[in-house]
Amino acid sequence: GAVVSQHPSRVICKSGTSVKIECRSLDFQATTMFWYRQFPKQSLMLMATSNEGSKATYEQGVEKDKFLINHASLTLSTLTVTSAHPEDSSFYICSALSGQGAAGELFFGEGSRLTVL
Amino acid sequence: LAKTTQPISMDSYEGQEVNITCSHNNIATNDYITWYQQFPSQGPRFIIQGYKTKVTNEVASLFIPADRKSSTLSLPRVSLSDTAVYYCLVGAGYSSASKIIFGSGTRLSIRP
């Protein structure tokens, strides 16, 4: 099946620094990617929808200046957590859409665990 | 996407059949039903998708009644490795206009 790769899988950073997480669709082109965050024992929470070549659509309550999303190509979307703080520590997951409509399939990355000290 | 309701948790034993039911009362005519499995510290993994009646693959079966207001994921002869969280999603396929919203999921625990 199709593969979506996230990098890094784990990152530890100091408070105040910025961290970039990459999401790549390895064997298909993804015009749309989704970014989620997940806290322990909780479900995935949609942060934003990323469309190639256009600005991301953020969910209510998600700060667009805090979580910068760039979808510059059909195989790569990046999430940058700017000026990270301990409360940003979480598991971040991306997904990529292959195809459209009823034939569309959604593939998830392995996730990236961010720990802010 | 249609809202879904699942049991928060379920327990079972190795070798048993496990059935997890998902309610989606406001499912639309062109909505599909998709189930995902998630292990700790991993992204969700696709299990099965269906529109109506029954769908079976190598890992699970999906039962959908005629009114499509619910669906049941059936895992035959579970093992310890099936301990995971299972999510039911309902939507009209996926497009750039879709919001892929996850419900609470069902935390399945399998005991020896």
Side-chain angles (χ1 to χ4, degrees):
Chain A
V3 178
V4 174
S5 177
Q6 277 185 244
H7 178 79
S9 58
R10 293 176 180 270
V11 56
I12 301 173
C13 70
K14 294 182 179 180
S15 185
T17 61
S18 294
V19 175
K20 179 185 287 187
I21 301 170
E22 293 185 347
C23 178
R24 294 181 184 272
S25 56
L26 297 184
D27 52 1
F28 66 98
Q29 294 184 330
T31 56
T32 302
M33 292 184 174
F34 303 91
W35 285 95
Y36 297 84
R37 67 186 301 182
Q38 186 176 35
F39 293 109
K41 305 291 186 182
Q42 294 187 24
S43 183
L44 285 76
M45 183 189 79
L46 180 64
M47 297 176 67
T49 301
S50 167
N51 291 300
E52 187 266 337
S54 62
K55 292 183 178 180
T57 302
Y58 290 82
E59 293 301 300
Q60 189 174 10
V62 178
E63 300 175 57
K64 60 180 64 176
D65 295 330
K66 173 77 170 176
F67 300 99
L68 301 179
I69 293 173
N70 183 283
H71 194 161
S73 77
L74 289 172
T75 59
L76 174 64
S77 177
T78 60
L79 168 67
T80 301
V81 182
T82 63
S83 186
H85 288 92
E87 57 265 30
D88 298 322
S89 297
S90 187
F91 191 55
Y92 292 87
I93 305 170
C94 74
S95 64
L97 177 63
S98 174
Q100 293 281 319
E105 294 187 66
L106 198 62
F107 300 95
F108 288 84
E110 315 96 321
S112 300
R113 185 164 299 284
L114 171 63
T115 302
V116 185
L117 303 177
Chain B
L1 297 180
K3 183 178 178 180
T4 60
T5 303
Q6 304 173 233
I8 294 297
S9 64
M10 293 182 67
D11 295 323
S12 189
Y13 292 91
E14 281 190 296
Q16 299 295 307
E17 177 184 81
V18 171
N19 296 308
I20 305 174
T21 297
C22 179
S23 297
H24 27 80
N25 291 317
N26 58 340
I27 188 170
T29 302
N30 56 347
D31 282 346
Y32 281 73
I33 301 158
T34 311
W35 285 79
Y36 287 88
Q37 176 192 56
Q38 186 184 28
F39 296 113
S41 296
Q42 293 186 27
R45 187 182 73 166
F46 173 88
I47 300 175
I48 197 166
Q49 184 182 68
Y51 182 79
K52 62 179 179 180
T53 63
K54 177 183 175 182
V55 179
T56 297
N57 62 22
E58 61 276 11
V59 298
S61 294
L62 178 59
F63 298 93
I64 305 169
D67 66 6
R68 305 200 327 123
K69 293 184 182 299
S70 67
S71 59
T72 298
L73 174 71
S74 181
L75 304 173
R77 296 183 297 282
V78 294
S79 63
L80 296 176
S81 62
D82 292 316
T83 294
V85 179
Y86 293 82
Y87 295 97
C88 161
L89 273 69
V90 174
Y94 303 119
S95 72
S96 58
S98 299
K99 281 190 178 184
I100 315 300
I101 306 295
F102 280 75
S104 60
T106 297
R107 187 172 298 275
L108 176 64
S109 298
I110 304 301
R111 302 175 182 179

